[in-house]
Amino acid sequence: MIDENKCIQEISKGNEKALKDLYDLYSQKVYNTILSYTKNEEDAQELLQDVFVTVYNSAGSFKFNSSVSTWIYRISINKSIDFIRKKDTRNRKGLLSLFKPGSTQIEHDVEDFAHPGVRMEQKEDAKLLFKVIDELSENQKTAFILTQVEGLSQQETADIMEITRKAVESLVQRAKANLRKSLEKYFPNRGDSQKNTTK
């Protein structure tokens, strides 16, 4: 097991082997988190490289007042959110091309992507889930992705988001409630069938 703090110290001196050690340790987790935001494998790979370039360039200014993993996740989420904001701005500028001929209804499909944490037989449900996750507020989305998709604890998530554990718990509860409402639009009868089977 590598000493992550020592790794950062070595990276700050330009040690590329230390950067590779840290990359090998965190790249898959970081990639999965970024993919939950971008839903595009190429974009996620590009942002993954960008995260570790930032780690390399910023190692010298790391204050060691949080864990290395918290710092890396924070960089990953900030870059993902910035990327989505820029993408949304570009999409709004190009909205006219998305309208169906003779209609004001926007035409777009759920993006096709494979999240490493999703089994093949659940792929269609996962695509829809990530679509409705996108409708959440930024904080709800981040809290939900980190705790429910990536499996981090509420305390780890609180450290990354720089809020209290109680605030994370509240965000996750609100996210789940909002997701249930959104999913009911797509599966209006799913709740009824569950009610009929429980007495």
Side-chain angles (χ1 to χ4, degrees):
M1 196 68 182
I2 67 169
D3 181 334
E4 295 175 26
N5 286 350
K6 192 165 188 306
C7 245
I8 293 294
Q9 289 169 342
E10 288 300 312
I11 292 167
S12 70
K13 299 172 191 171
N15 186 330
E16 292 182 8
K17 161 98 173 45
L19 180 67
K20 185 181 184 307
D21 289 342
L22 209 59
Y23 180 89
D24 290 344
L25 186 63
Y26 282 107
S27 58
Q28 192 59 56
K29 295 173 187 173
V30 168
Y31 174 79
N32 291 355
T33 301
I34 294 170
L35 189 60
S36 294
Y37 283 90
T38 66
K39 299 182 299 303
N40 179 287
E41 292 169 22
E42 279 182 32
D43 291 339
Q45 283 289 357
E46 201 171 303
L47 282 174
L48 173 65
Q49 304 306 319
D50 197 15
V51 165
F52 281 93
V53 167
T54 299
V55 167
Y56 184 77
N57 290 335
S58 305
S61 59
F62 183 59
K63 305 291 185 201
F64 298 98
N65 51 10
S66 68
S67 70
V68 173
S69 65
T70 295
W71 182 55
I72 292 174
Y73 269 113
R74 202 175 289 150
I75 293 169
S76 307
I77 289 161
N78 287 339
K79 286 193 177 295
S80 298
I81 290 171
D82 285 347
F83 175 84
I84 296 301
R85 282 176 182 160
K86 285 173 188 167
K87 188 177 177 185
D88 285 347
T89 303
R90 287 196 301 271
N91 286 348
R92 278 196 292 274
K93 286 177 182 171
L95 271 181
L96 289 176
S97 64
L98 294 174
F99 286 105
K100 292 179 183 176
S103 165
T104 55
Q105 186 179 353
I106 295 176
E107 186 177 51
H108 82 301
D109 296 318
V110 181
E111 291 190 57
D112 190 17
F113 80 108
H115 193 287
V118 175
R119 292 197 297 273
M120 279 306 293
E121 64 268 23
Q122 296 175 324
K123 194 175 170 190
E124 287 306 310
D125 279 354
K127 279 163 60 178
L128 181 55
L129 175 61
F130 279 103
K131 174 182 165 60
V132 295
I133 285 172
D134 270 352
E135 296 168 9
L136 297 171
S137 70
E138 270 179 15
N139 279 350
Q140 285 180 29
K141 182 177 179 179
T142 296
F144 184 86
I145 286 172
L146 290 178
T147 59
Q148 308 302 304
V149 181
E150 301 309 323
L152 298 186
S153 71
Q154 288 185 352
Q155 189 55 59
E156 286 172 310
T157 302
D159 292 342
I160 291 163
M161 296 181 70
E162 298 180 281
I163 57 178
T164 64
R165 192 196 63 76
K166 198 77 181 162
V168 170
E169 186 181 350
S170 175
L171 285 168
V172 171
Q173 284 174 350
R174 292 206 302 274
K176 285 180 176 178
N178 288 331
L179 288 172
R180 269 194 297 273
K181 282 183 206 162
S182 295
L183 288 169
E184 277 166 11
K185 292 184 227 162
Y186 295 95
F187 302 109
N189 299 321
R190 190 172 273 191
D192 294 341
S193 64
Q194 285 173 347
K195 282 175 202 164
N196 293 337
T197 57
T198 56
K199 293 185 180 179

